[in-house]
Amino acid sequence: MKKDAFFAKMDNLGLALTYDDVRLKSGYSETMPHEISIESKFSRNVPLKIPLISAAMDTVTEHRLATEMAFLGGLGVIHRNLTPERQAAEVVRVKNHLNARIEKPTCVYEDETIEQLINKRDEEELTFHSFPVLDRENRLVGIITKNDFDFCDQPSITVKEAMTTQVIKSHPETTIAEAYDMMFKNKKKLLPLVDKEGFVQGLYVFSDVQRVITGTSPNCNTDPKGQLRVAAAIGTGEKALERARHLIKANVDVLVIDTAHGDSKPVFETLKAIKRTHSRIDVVVGNISEGPSARRLIDAGADGIKIGQGPGSICTTRIIAGIGSPQVSAVYQCSKAIRGSGIPLCADGGVRYSGDITIGIGAGADSVMMGSMLAGTLESPGSKIFLNGRQWKYYRGMGSLSAMLSSRSSRERYRQKDIEKLIPEGVEGMVPYKGKLNDVLVQYIGGLRSGMGYVGAADIDELHEKADFHRISASGRAESHPHNIQITKETPNYPGQSGSQK
Ligand code: XMP
């Protein structure tokens, strides 16, 4: 690969580089930015329509941002400063966002009374009115809908007396498109899926089906059932295995062993234990920054690897502990070490501009994880702060003092769960409010496509292949930024002085 000679030269000098040290060389191009494919993978079996991942941080990714990330083609990793139950509930909320097919619909029995049914709705706080009706052998005999409730003036009658028996039904393998067609033609709002024995195996509800069919863009990152994909972070040890069980039950798509030192014994033990008991779930492991660490994790069965020790905007690991490789070299060295394995790499942290995304992927990553670039969006947790005539959002490192004090998971991430005096490896503060995630990602993706166009790469594989780097000097860097001008108007993709990211 073109970049091999460049990095070999740097390596000989004992030099490791990061985003600001390099630029990609432009090359002959036949591809226009809008024709470029930016599909990629986060892990062995988890694809991405766009190669962007939101960080597993408590000021970045909960269900709202994760939902929007998947909706726009990327992926969110729900943080673990939550109880396992609450984290699993966050996963469920993402998975249910496009809930076209209900796997286990709430059913009622034909001999129950309407009054009992009304009580059940209240007790279980059910917000819907339509239920499949079963006989006492659990076979479908009808449905009861809002209409049947509305036109019933005698709550003492049985469901059987009030229900509709003219039901359309279909087989359990019915796709969402087939369901939409059947419901539309028959003007029915419910489609129970029934097996040969007459047992209910699922349910489509027209309003949900219609929303998915007409409103979902083909660019959503969905699983084979049409549900949005979502990842979730776990730690190490017995508690992590318990957390993993909750998350797998909630149908999480990929688990991320989220630690500050991925090349460590507890991480390998946890990875192997999950693989032993849940062989079908993808496990991404991090964080590391050296080639041999990547090789060891692949040999232990990792389905994806996360790279980045200390590049993050809120990280102080490199300063406090004195360790870590600058990010671009870290990504390159890891990708070289596992070349040919087919295991995707995610470059985690340190991205400040959209151009850094192109550079990170050019160096060998398959996706890029971001915290500060997403923490200021409408969909991140927390509300806006109004200060000095500007809007901001709170953003903190998971190794910051406040995060460690508030959660055992944060302490565990930095291997300090049993330490009395905490040694923070992160800071807390604010980032400028940026508005809707959609508008923000349009800029990041636009920058990536533009960069790929300059390189002449039609897809991510070609970017890996063709990427070649210049080492730039301080004056080269100064020349790259706007200069000799007082900027009077902010552009949406260049924060300038007010965003204080330079
Ligand atoms: P950015 O630069 O995107 O970085 O804001 C996000 C990534 O930083 C990592 N992270 C931390 N690293 N101390 C650290 O050394 C911390 O307190 C901390 N919190 C988050 C994490 O990998 C995240 O994705």
Side-chain angles (χ1 to χ4, degrees):
M1 282 191 192
K2 284 183 174 176
K3 61 195 167 207
D4 287 346
F6 171 81
F7 281 104
K9 230 183 278 172
M10 295 301 125
D11 216 23
N12 281 340
L13 296 171
L15 205 56
L17 306 173
T18 193
Y19 292 114
D20 268 358
D21 296 323
V22 294
R23 290 299 103 177
L24 285 159
K25 292 182 183 177
S26 72
Y28 173 71
S29 180
E30 291 183 355
T31 38
M32 295 305 286
H34 69 273
E35 298 164 349
I36 289 168
S37 161
I38 51 171
E39 291 194 1
S40 192
K41 275 184 168 185
F42 180 55
S43 62
R44 199 190 299 265
N45 299 299
V46 175
L48 300 165
K49 297 273 171 64
I50 62 171
L52 304 183
I53 314 291
S54 66
M57 298 173 72
D58 60 5
T59 46
V60 181
T61 312
E62 291 185 349
H63 73 269
R64 196 165 169 211
L65 191 96
T67 299
E68 199 59 15
M69 283 298 294
F71 201 80
L72 298 168
L75 191 73
V77 186
I78 308 277
H79 70 89
R80 63 187 176 99
N81 278 8
L82 298 165
T83 62
E85 292 80 6
R86 271 210 52 207
Q87 193 189 19
E90 291 287 304
V91 167
V92 168
R93 288 186 78 163
V94 182
K95 297 304 290 180
N96 281 350
H97 186 75
L98 302 178
N99 199 358
R101 176 182 170 134
I102 300 164
E103 293 295 340
K104 288 192 181 123
T106 306
C107 298
V108 298
Y109 286 112
E110 60 180 351
D111 55 4
E112 289 179 276
T113 65
I114 295 295
E115 190 175 12
Q116 282 172 321
L117 198 42
I118 290 170
N119 291 341
K120 181 174 173 159
R121 278 194 69 234
D122 289 347
E123 274 161 29
E124 295 180 19
E125 295 180 12
L126 302 176
T127 51
F128 46 89
H129 290 77
S130 303
F131 303 87
V133 182
L134 311 180
D135 62 19
R136 282 289 165 181
E137 287 180 339
N138 288 324
R139 292 194 167 84
L140 183 77
V141 289
I143 54 171
I144 186 147
T145 65
K146 185 164 186 305
N147 261 4
D148 300 322
F149 278 100
D150 288 349
F151 294 107
C152 171
D153 54 3
Q154 282 177 288
S156 58
I157 65 168
T158 61
V159 170
K160 187 176 182 173
E161 289 169 276
M163 73 184 187
T164 307
T165 48
Q166 284 173 343
V167 182
I168 57 159
K169 50 191 174 189
S170 190
H171 57 88
E173 279 75 42
T174 308
T175 64
I176 181 168
E178 290 165 348
Y180 182 72
D181 248 23
M182 281 181 79
M183 293 163 101
F184 199 85
K185 277 190 198 126
N186 291 284
K187 294 186 183 163
K188 292 284 183 192
K189 291 192 172 171
L190 286 189
L191 181 65
L193 305 176
V194 179
D195 64 18
K196 288 192 181 104
E197 282 77 43
F199 298 122
V200 176
Q201 301 293 356
L203 179 75
Y204 281 112
V205 178
F206 187 69
S207 52
D208 288 340
V209 170
Q210 190 179 38
R211 181 162 48 85
V212 174
I213 293 280
T214 58
T216 308
S217 111
N219 292 328
C220 287
N221 189 6
T222 49
D223 64 18
K225 286 184 187 161
Q227 294 182 310
L228 292 176
R229 290 187 198 271
V230 61
I234 61 167
T236 55
E238 266 310 311
K239 283 209 156 68
L241 300 179
E242 177 61 22
R243 186 179 285 275
R245 275 191 284 279
H246 281 278
L247 295 166
I248 290 168
K249 201 165 158 219
N251 274 333
V252 73
D253 292 276
V254 47
L255 294 171
V256 179
I257 302 183
D258 164 53
T259 71
H261 190 20
D263 191 5
S264 60
K265 196 173 169 211
V267 172
F268 284 96
E269 286 171 354
T270 307
L271 170 63
K272 286 182 181 160
I274 295 175
K275 283 285 157 194
R276 256 196 317 274
T277 38
H278 308 283
S279 56
R280 289 173 66 186
I281 186 96
D282 271 12
V283 184
V284 170
V285 189
N287 277 14
I288 57 155
S289 56
E290 301 292 341
S293 305
R295 192 67 257 171
R296 276 190 283 276
L297 287 175
I298 300 261
D299 292 344
D303 299 298
I305 292 181
K306 208 148 63 67
I307 302 157
Q309 287 182 306
S313 59
I314 32 48
C315 304
T316 53
T317 295
R318 293 210 194 130
I319 307 301
I320 299 304
I323 65 95
S325 160
Q327 185 71 341
V328 171
S329 288
V331 170
Y332 170 77
Q333 295 300 347
C334 292
S335 76
K336 186 169 154 244
I338 64 158
R339 209 170 267 170
S341 68
I343 297 301
L345 295 181
C346 174
D348 175 15
V351 170
R352 294 188 298 162
Y353 301 99
S354 55
D356 296 343
I357 299 171
T358 326
I359 290 172
I361 296 177
D366 298 275
S367 65
V368 170
M369 176 176 270
M370 296 179 292
S372 72
M373 296 279 279
L374 305 172
T377 57
L378 172 72
E379 293 84 353
S380 70
S383 45
K384 287 181 268 182
I385 302 164
F386 194 72
L387 191 74
N388 296 337
R390 251 196 104 105
Q391 291 178 307
W392 307 83
K393 283 193 94 166
Y394 179 57
Y395 180 47
R396 71 177 180 187
M398 297 297 269
S400 65
L401 195 56
S402 72
M404 284 213 216
L405 285 172
S406 70
S407 165
R408 183 186 185 278
S409 293
S410 257
R411 293 194 292 280
E412 188 208 65
R413 189 176 198 272
Y414 295 90
R415 294 165 296 151
Q416 298 184 31
K417 63 176 192 265
D418 304 318
I419 291 184
E420 231 169 74
K421 267 256 179 270
L422 294 169
I423 317 293
E425 290 188 24
V427 296
E428 57 194 292
M430 304 181 302
V431 290
Y433 176 65
K434 290 184 172 162
K436 284 189 186 157
L437 182 72
N438 187 9
D439 298 334
V440 168
L441 289 199
V442 164
Q443 295 300 331
Y444 300 167
I445 290 302
L448 171 63
R449 285 182 183 281
S450 174
M452 290 173 73
Y454 280 114
V455 171
D459 56 32
I460 300 286
D461 283 346
E462 267 195 33
L463 180 56
H464 288 157
E465 191 63 40
K466 292 186 175 176
D468 197 5
F469 290 88
H470 284 297
R471 163 94 166 91
I472 61 167
S473 63
S475 36
R477 179 175 168 249
E479 181 190 67
S480 308
H481 284 281
H483 46 83
N484 289 32
I485 184 171
Q486 178 66 46
I487 297 176
T488 52
K489 204 162 187 195
E490 257 181 47
T491 54
N493 55 359
Y494 187 76
Q497 293 94 330
S498 50
S500 65
Q501 295 196 11
K502 200 165 161 183

